[in-house]
Amino acid sequence: MSWRTPADALRNELIELFLNHPTESLSGETISEHFHISRTAIWKHLEHLESLGFVFDAAPRRGYRLLSTPDILFEPLLQPHLSTHSLGRSVLYRPVIDSTNRWAMELAEHGAPHGTVASAKEQSAGKGRRGRMWASPEGGLWMTLVLTKPIPLSRAGELTLLAGVAAAQSLRTLTGLDIRIKWPNDLLLNGRKLCGILAEIRAEAETVHTAVLGIGLNLTVAREDVPALLQETMISLSPSTSSPWTKARVAGAILSALEPLYDSLCQDAAGFSGVRSEWIALCAHMQRTITVRLGEQVVTGTCVDIDERGTLTIEVEGKRVQVPSGEIVRTEVW
Ligand code: BTN
């Protein structure tokens, strides 16, 4: 099995062709000659694209013209928003998938190139950190990156920290909103969770050869569409049902900010240490009292530092406690 079906590839090329001819109608014959496939096959692909939300004008003699594009993460729609070499250069999209992280790992196993993005409008079994479910109704940017450049296993933890910084910085620039990071890599807006990041890795010996990096961002997710328990703690980027920022624009900004950071990690160079001071400046709880769950233990102290590998330091009754991994369960004020 190939990572991408010929139909997926052809639909991307079809949309690209229409985008390159924004004001012209293209006849069935022209398209059919261009792709060396029958007019019936073209019609079927256009029908599929219509089911994804693309709108075409079809006139008997003139042919087809693309009237509007949907707000989905679709390969040709993302390209104009990228300043990357690899990240986001191939994209696979499904209206509904169980989890883009699960799917991305499958795509990687079938040879998807480095930087491929798996995206969906909805996830039926979105995965969160620590085995939790991730509510993924319509209105979110649910995407997972396939990363296949080798990184030392000892530095794998830096990957999600880098993604947190890239997402926070690009979203702040794009929206002007005061988006902050909660350790290790949640993004908060007004103290509520806006975005979660989940990396899953495959390693051999001491090297990570495949990582899938999932980013879940509530763009216009409505409160009533997530479980009651999450309604008070989540927030969407845009309070209305339509976002002023398309998914392609948002994803393009995040991927463009992430690529140089990820590359520095692959070259066994700076990695997180290169953006540590930015992370501290963006942190929601530096110098504040936090409560951290460390396995079975729950510790409360003042958050005072983060080191070059992402280990948090908290001060508990005058003693410094290192927290390499865990979860912040409470903070003084956000
Ligand atoms: C967290 O618990 O904070 C991490 C949430 C990560 C959610 C994203 S949505 C896209 C990708 N696919 C998944 O199944 N999970 C991640």
Side-chain angles (χ1 to χ4, degrees), residues 162-183:
L162 292 178
V165 172
Q169 283 179 331
S170 48
L171 289 171
R172 287 171 72 95
T173 306
L174 196 65
T175 65
L177 296 169
D178 187 22
I179 293 161
R180 306 218 143 243
I181 303 178
K182 175 184 159 193
W183 183 82

Side-chain angles (χ1 to χ4, degrees), residues 72-276:
I72 60 175
L73 206 55
F74 203 68
E75 187 175 293
L77 302 181
L78 176 62
Q79 302 314 299
H81 301 283
L82 292 173
S83 60
T84 60
H85 293 292
S86 323
L87 304 195
R89 291 301 176 182
S90 22
V91 180
L92 280 167
Y93 169 79
R94 295 285 178 268
V96 183
I97 197 86
D98 50 355
S99 153
T100 55
N101 264 37
R102 203 259 334 128
W103 186 29
M105 195 54 95
E106 181 185 297
L107 295 171
E109 282 158 10
H110 288 94
H114 171 70
T116 297
V117 168
S119 77
K121 186 160 74 174
E122 284 177 43
Q123 296 183 114
S124 55
K127 298 201 245 177
R129 290 177 71 220
R130 304 178 175 272
R132 294 196 194 103
M133 59 79 74
W134 179 259
S136 323
E138 207 177 317
L141 175 66
W142 319 131
M143 69 169 180
T144 302
L145 262 171
V146 173
L147 301 170
T148 59
K149 290 191 186 173
I151 49 173
L153 184 56
S154 59
R155 303 194 63 183
E158 292 174 56
L159 187 56
T160 50
L161 293 162
L162 292 178
V165 172
Q169 283 179 331
S170 48
L171 289 171
R172 287 171 72 95
T173 306
L174 196 65
T175 65
L177 296 169
D178 187 22
I179 293 161
R180 306 218 143 243
I181 303 178
K182 175 184 159 193
W183 183 82
N185 49 43
D186 287 352
L187 297 197
L188 306 180
L189 175 61
N190 301 336
R192 291 167 184 241
K193 187 150 168 174
L194 175 72
C195 174
I197 296 169
L198 176 69
E200 296 176 85
I201 57 168
R202 294 269 190 275
E204 255 164 54
E206 289 308 305
T207 304
V208 174
H209 56 81
T210 308
V212 294
L213 182 72
I215 300 179
L217 171 69
N218 300 321
L219 268 174
T220 58
V221 173
R223 278 222 189 140
E224 54 276 18
D225 289 345
V226 302
L229 215 72
L230 300 176
Q231 287 180 3
E232 292 311 308
T233 56
M234 64 81 74
I235 193 166
S236 279
L237 201 57
S238 175
S240 76
T241 49
S242 77
S243 161
W245 309 283
T246 62
K247 292 185 181 120
R249 190 157 166 225
V250 173
I254 298 175
L255 298 173
S256 300
L258 179 58
E259 189 171 82
L261 304 185
Y262 172 74
D263 283 348
S264 95
L265 189 61
C266 298
Q267 289 147 12
D268 211 7
F272 182 61
S273 69
V275 291
R276 180 176 156 264

